[in-house]
Amino acid sequence: MTQYSDHHGPEGLRIRGTVVVVPGRGETRATYARLGRRLAADAYRVRVIDGPDLAAEDPGSSLDGFAAQVADAVESTVSEGEVVRPVVLVGADSGAVAIAALLARTGTPAARRPDALVLAGLPGRTAGTVDSWDDELAVRTSCPAHRGVLTEDPQVRRGALDDALPDALLTAVHDSDVDVPVLLLVGDADPLADHEALARTAKSLPHARLSVVHGAHHDVLNDLQHRSAAAEVVSFLETLRNELRPVITVRSSAW
């Protein structure tokens, strides 16, 4: 059974990089179809994989299985004999925890290390408290279209935000010294985020940017501001291709 969904750029354009998107708790690959199409439109090769199964009783083994899943997803995107770099992993919620914890581990072969990470909606240590589907939607998003996608997808696991994530992995994420560029995306209305911890983590990493999406909830890549969030991701991808030198800087502005 295929474990990923692909989004290809416009025919005839050279691929600018490879992006692997990792969903979070309760989500499916279909949850990120809109984001996948948008990034692919800018000539990035986008692959959305299944979210990680992070077993609290054995997070190490869970991470081993997830590492193999990611490696297979990346290596099978070969185009003209090789994977197109930069390779960027984009994770949401538990997907963000998993890819960050993966990079925090030592011993990962250089050939399998991504060139950058996007960590969206990185959750804090407190699990959600959702008593109904309406409560969960209120935590996740105020975007009517995204609410419809979640509600109409029979594979979305309702109540998943109540699942606590392994504390060992959360510690590894916030105490890591990941040396690849990292874009942290968080909504300022995200009730599951630990905003102070995110600020400390961003300052502790050598190449990190913390971007706050105003008015966005936990599903920061899929809330009402999804166009601006996707634009921030594309801007990061383009800056990464330019050796972390901003392609555009604002010299003068009235806002």
Side-chain angles (χ1 to χ4, degrees):
M1 180 179 177
T2 301
Q3 298 299 309
Y4 42 76
S5 301
D6 287 324
H7 301 273
H8 299 278
E11 187 174 351
L13 294 185
R14 186 174 181 178
I15 301 172
R16 299 181 66 76
T18 302
V19 179
V20 175
V21 181
V22 186
R25 287 171 291 180
E27 298 175 327
T28 71
R29 298 195 301 269
T31 308
Y32 290 91
R34 180 171 63 183
L35 175 69
R37 291 192 300 267
R38 184 163 284 135
L39 300 183
D42 281 304
Y44 285 92
R45 173 76 155 83
V46 183
R47 171 163 285 178
V48 185
I49 66 174
D50 291 333
D53 181 11
L54 302 177
E57 63 277 6
D58 193 1
S61 294
S62 298
L63 213 54
D64 289 339
F66 176 67
Q69 178 188 3
V70 171
D72 175 71
V74 172
E75 291 165 5
S76 59
T77 62
V78 170
S79 176
E80 297 182 358
E82 62 183 9
V83 174
V84 179
R85 304 195 84 95
V87 173
V88 180
L89 303 184
V90 178
D93 182 65
S94 60
V97 172
I99 63 174
L102 200 60
L103 264 289
R105 299 200 309 182
T106 59
T108 302
R112 286 193 166 187
R113 288 176 62 82
D115 298 295
L117 301 179
V118 177
L119 308 179
L122 194 65
R125 285 182 164 81
T126 303
T129 52
V130 291
D131 297 323
S132 68
W133 181 236
D134 286 341
D135 289 341
E136 182 167 352
L137 288 175
V139 168
R140 285 185 176 278
T141 180
S142 56
C143 175
H146 182 49
R147 285 185 169 208
V149 168
L150 292 172
T151 300
E152 294 165 14
D153 185 347
Q155 294 184 323
V156 165
R157 186 165 60 88
R158 301 187 180 194
L161 292 182
D162 280 338
D163 297 345
L165 294 168
D167 190 68
L169 296 188
L170 291 170
T171 298
V173 170
H174 289 293
D175 294 347
S176 72
D177 56 354
V178 173
D179 58 357
V180 302
V182 178
L183 171 64
L184 293 143
L185 272 174
V186 64
D188 66 357
D190 182 355
L192 303 186
D194 185 335
H195 296 274
E196 292 184 1
L198 284 173
R200 290 194 301 269
T201 298
K203 290 179 181 178
S204 71
L205 297 174
H207 306 291
R209 176 187 180 104
L210 174 59
S211 296
V212 178
V213 182
H214 299 293
H217 296 74
H218 186 59
D219 293 3
V220 64
L221 293 172
N222 279 308
D223 213 339
L224 280 175
Q225 306 81 0
H226 58 89
R227 296 175 184 83
S228 296
E232 180 73 359
V233 174
V234 171
S235 177
F236 175 63
L237 295 174
E238 292 296 303
T239 302
L240 181 67
R241 283 175 46 87
N242 200 39
E243 300 180 346
L244 290 185
R245 296 191 303 269
V247 179
I248 297 175
T249 56
V250 178
R251 181 165 296 178
S252 177
S253 175
W255 64 87

